[in-house]
Amino acid sequence: MRVVLLGAPGAGKGTQAKKLIEVCGIPQISTGDLLRAAVAAKSDLGVQAKAYMDRGELVPDSIVLGMVQERLRQDDCAKGCILDGFPRNTSQAKALDEMLQTMNMPLDAAVDIDVPLEDLMKRLTGRRTCGSCGQMYNIYFSKPQKDGVCDKCGGALFQRDDDKEDTIRKRLDVYTSQTAPLIGYYRDKSLYKGINGTGSIDEIFNNICSALKTN
Ligand code: AP5
Ligand code: MG
């Protein structure tokens, strides 16, 4: 199964992707995570990407597309994958279609986690992530038992550099102008599944699973 997760910054793409990969046994491909790993490694690509990410802008397709193609070619993607945060604009969506067609791996669904924009600021400013295992928390909605420490593995929690109010506002603008048009793109291909993204994480997960079963 190959699924694209659409949704604004903070909609819960990463949270739901992590639950889906456990149930489906296929990998998550998060372009945000791949780019943050490149930034942390200070690779050439990471140094170029960082300036865009710090401004809340999309990293150029010339950087992102090669990264995704390389990842899709790895053996663990043969059975499927959950694409989290990719594609982000129409040119990426078209490039993905071409890549998947060449590899004979069709897309099954584009799941849009829909959350009102006014709810997203608190989700993003409150987000904390474990530096060791990637588990996500939120200081307003799903606090760890001990401040700054991961319940699952004891790792230290960090706040993302781009989760500052000004940068979040820019990311939300970029979503509205460049990513939201993908809703129409996937509707036209009959792949679109809109999911209400407010409610508990488990409720949303159950709704995503039901929508995918009706494929
Ligand atoms: P990326 O890492 O993809 O960030 P994003 O799209 O802005 O989305 P987030 O990761 O912030 O949110 P999410 O939807 O995953 O929510 P989460 O599950 O964490 O991209 C970052 C940057 O990289 C971009 O700005 C761009 O520069 C670059 N980039 C990435 N991909 C690119 C591409 N394809 N092309 C070009 N550039 C690219 O949840 C958020 C918080 O809410 C957490 O605290 C969580 O615990 C909480 N939460 C989740 N669900 C719920 C719920 N139901 N109720 C209450 N709280 C909840
Ligand atoms: Mg994410």
Side-chain angles (χ1 to χ4, degrees), residues 10 12-15 28 30 32-33 36 84-85 127 136 160 171:
K13 301 181 295 296
T15 302
Q28 169 193 12
S30 157
D33 287 348
R36 279 184 288 279
D84 159 10
R127 172 169 51 195
M136 240 117 42
R160 264 170 49 177
R171 286 162 57 203

Side-chain angles (χ1 to χ4, degrees), residues 45-87:
L45 189 150
V47 172
Q48 287 177 57
K50 187 176 185 322
Y52 294 93
M53 295 171 82
D54 285 349
R55 290 196 297 266
E57 294 170 8
L58 293 186
V59 173
D61 292 356
S62 54
I63 295 179
V64 175
L65 292 178
M67 223 174 57
V68 172
Q69 186 152 36
E70 194 182 314
R71 185 64 190 87
L72 280 173
R73 283 191 181 131
Q74 289 170 14
D75 290 346
D76 63 338
C77 293
K79 277 199 293 181
C81 59
I82 307 292
L83 288 156
D84 159 10
F86 179 89

Side-chain angles (χ1 to χ4, degrees), residues 93-189:
K94 288 181 179 160
L96 176 65
D97 287 345
E98 280 172 26
M99 281 181 220
L100 293 179
Q101 201 179 0
T102 312
M103 290 188 253
N104 210 7
M105 306 196 309
L107 194 64
D108 296 292
V111 172
D112 178 27
I113 308 174
D114 183 24
V115 178
L117 289 188
E118 58 270 21
D119 293 357
L120 297 170
M121 186 59 81
K122 216 170 171 184
R123 286 203 188 182
L124 290 167
T125 53
R127 172 169 51 195
R128 301 293 183 271
T129 309
C130 176
S132 302
C133 74
Q135 177 65 35
M136 240 117 42
Y137 297 88
N138 193 291
I139 58 168
Y140 305 114
F141 306 116
S142 50
K143 271 165 77 108
Q145 279 164 14
K146 196 171 162 205
D147 279 355
V149 181
C150 179
D151 294 347
K152 271 193 170 171
C153 75
L157 304 185
F158 72 93
Q159 188 167 15
R160 264 170 49 177
D161 287 344
D162 59 349
D163 279 347
K164 301 182 185 88
E165 282 201 25
D166 281 355
T167 320
I168 293 170
R169 263 187 275 279
K170 175 70 186 171
R171 286 162 57 203
L172 294 174
D173 286 349
V174 167
Y175 167 76
T176 304
S177 60
Q178 299 193 49
T179 310
L182 293 182
I183 293 172
Y185 182 88
Y186 286 114
R187 265 205 182 113
D188 289 348
K189 292 180 179 288

